[in-house]
Amino acid sequence: MIQKDGSFVLFSGSSHEGLARGIASELGASLGKILRETFPDGEIGIQIQENVRGKDVFIVQSGARRPNHYLMELLIMVDAFKRASARSISLVLPYFAYARQDRKEKPRVPITAKLVANLLEKAGATRVLTMDLHTDQIQGFFDIPVDHLYARPLFVRTFKKLALKNLIVVSPDVGSNKMARKFAEDLNVDLAIVDKRRIGADCVETSAIIGDVSGKNVLLVDDICSTGKTLRSAALACRKEGAQSIRAAVTHALFAKEALEDSGIEEVYVTDTIPQDLRGVKSISTAPLFAQAIDCVVHAKSISSLFTADLEENYEEIDSVSKKRP
Ligand code: R5P
């Protein structure tokens, strides 16, 4: 059970105050006071408006939509907390921006995910708490503890309740295969894989499906939906192979442009790691999960119990916390 604890304080960056407030509410805490201003030349100024000396500080900042602005703001906040003598500075990053630039896939390109990790650590962050990183290896870009949460249990719980017959989990590309396999195992259904080739930042090509989706209710799963081309192209391929219905579950709904319009996907389930208006998608709150994770950090409890132990047991606990919301 989450307990109110005066030893930690939760602050929000400007990227996703709604989620930060949700996490605070789950923890029975209120958000710390901070003043933000923009100078006439565009520079960011902040001032922490309460004493944080000797406190464990948690900062919620999601990197979507204005990644460069939110990253700079976060670095400035971390610097301010460090200089205000916070005991520790944990970053709650529901969506880790630049995660897709995690390797040199062609010559003379940066590894920006590593650069971001270096910047955060150099600024003074002592821990990162994040969700569904594009690849697990990004944890290794940091030399501080990284607690990596998964949205899968939230989606699995939702789909178990829907109890769809003839369900099959489909990975829209080989990169999402590991995630899709875990979904299939948790839901106890078959798995199929779409063979996707990215031709450019804005263009994908699908050639074949490995597995049989004919007559099945398809659940496409992916960590990110940006232009929607990956999911749209996978949905078209499934439809062509005779799928009965198509749904999608996406952790980070970047939804650039008119993603997923006319994709033929009947229902899209997302989480709230990125702020969005909810038209046309079903959003699942991650606030209880992040609150539980913060509680684990503060009270030195195991976080892995949030995704490896019995799902129902964990989420019954989260439900009971959620009911306490005002
Ligand atoms: C790629 O490897 C990711 O897992 C997503 O499939 C990708 O970022 C989706 O991008 P888009 O929606 O632009 O196709």
Side-chain angles (χ1 to χ4, degrees), residues 164-176:
L164 294 165
K165 301 268 181 248
N166 285 326
L167 187 65
I168 185 166
V169 172
V170 177
S171 170
D173 59 17
V174 176
S176 299

Side-chain angles (χ1 to χ4, degrees), residues 100 103 134 172-176 179 196 198 200-204 221-232 254-256 259-260:
R100 284 173 291 180
R103 65 200 180 284
H134 183 58
D173 59 17
V174 176
S176 299
M179 179 185 190
K196 168 189 110 174
R198 186 170 282 281
D202 218 14
C203 186
V204 299
V221 299
D222 210 344
D223 59 333
I224 299 171
C225 176
S226 178
T227 63
K229 299 225 160 125
T230 301
L231 285 179
R232 179 199 305 264
L254 280 173
F255 288 168
L260 301 186

Side-chain angles (χ1 to χ4, degrees), residues 11-279:
F11 284 84
S12 178
S14 63
S15 61
H16 201 346
E17 284 185 22
L19 179 57
R21 273 196 300 274
I23 297 171
S25 162
E26 295 289 341
L27 288 164
S30 46
L31 289 177
K33 291 191 183 60
I34 192 161
L35 176 73
R36 264 189 295 271
E37 54 187 337
T38 308
F39 294 107
D41 62 353
E43 288 183 1
I44 299 166
I46 71 138
Q47 188 192 11
I48 306 155
Q49 298 202 298
E50 57 188 85
N51 176 27
V52 293
R53 189 176 290 274
K55 298 267 174 75
D56 292 316
V57 169
F58 290 81
I59 309 172
V60 181
Q61 184 80 309
S62 186
R65 307 250 154 84
R66 297 172 71 200
N68 304 329
H69 176 82
Y70 295 140
L71 173 61
M72 195 63 210
E73 184 188 81
L74 182 60
L75 292 167
I76 291 170
M77 286 176 77
V78 172
D79 189 68
F81 284 111
K82 183 174 69 182
R83 293 176 197 282
S85 304
R87 182 167 66 173
S88 66
I89 306 168
S90 299
L91 308 184
V92 181
L93 309 177
Y95 172 67
F96 185 84
Y98 286 107
R100 284 173 291 180
Q101 296 183 38
D102 61 349
R103 65 200 180 284
K104 283 186 75 171
E105 57 179 346
K106 50 191 172 200
R108 298 177 295 283
V109 294
I111 304 181
T112 316
K114 170 65 177 152
L115 172 66
V116 170
N118 285 349
L119 290 170
L120 294 173
E121 223 176 300
K122 182 69 188 160
T126 56
R127 174 183 296 275
V128 169
L129 221 159
T130 189
M131 177 171 275
D132 282 358
L133 283 168
H134 183 58
T135 48
D136 287 330
Q137 295 90 309
I138 293 170
Q139 294 170 56
F141 290 0
F142 291 91
D143 284 322
I144 52 176
V146 176
D147 293 310
H148 188 196
L149 304 179
Y150 299 94
R152 190 182 73 253
L154 303 173
F155 288 125
V156 165
R157 195 171 65 127
T158 303
F159 278 91
K160 276 189 172 167
K161 278 187 189 153
L162 282 180
L164 294 165
K165 301 268 181 248
N166 285 326
L167 187 65
I168 185 166
V169 172
V170 177
S171 170
D173 59 17
V174 176
S176 299
N177 192 25
K178 193 173 156 202
M179 179 185 190
R181 184 175 297 284
K182 292 207 163 108
F183 264 81
E185 281 167 8
D186 287 349
L187 288 165
N188 201 18
V189 298
D190 287 340
L191 172 70
I193 302 163
V194 173
D195 181 21
K196 168 189 110 174
R197 209 156 51 94
R198 186 170 282 281
I199 296 161
D202 218 14
C203 186
V204 299
E205 186 185 84
T206 293
S207 47
I209 298 182
I210 304 158
D212 182 10
V213 298
S214 169
K216 300 267 180 72
N217 292 308
V218 163
L219 173 61
L220 291 163
V221 299
D222 210 344
D223 59 333
I224 299 171
C225 176
S226 178
T227 63
K229 299 225 160 125
T230 301
L231 285 179
R232 179 199 305 264
S233 132
L236 289 175
C238 290
R239 196 66 81 186
K240 206 166 137 201
E241 294 296 318
Q244 189 185 327
S245 69
I246 302 173
R247 290 171 180 76
V250 180
T251 307
H252 306 301
L254 280 173
F255 288 168
K257 302 179 193 162
E258 274 99 40
L260 301 186
E261 253 180 32
D262 306 324
S263 63
I265 300 176
E266 277 112 316
E267 287 182 326
V268 181
Y269 293 78
V270 301
T271 75
D272 60 354
T273 57
I274 293 171
Q276 70 217 265
D277 68 40
L278 298 178
R279 274 174 301 158

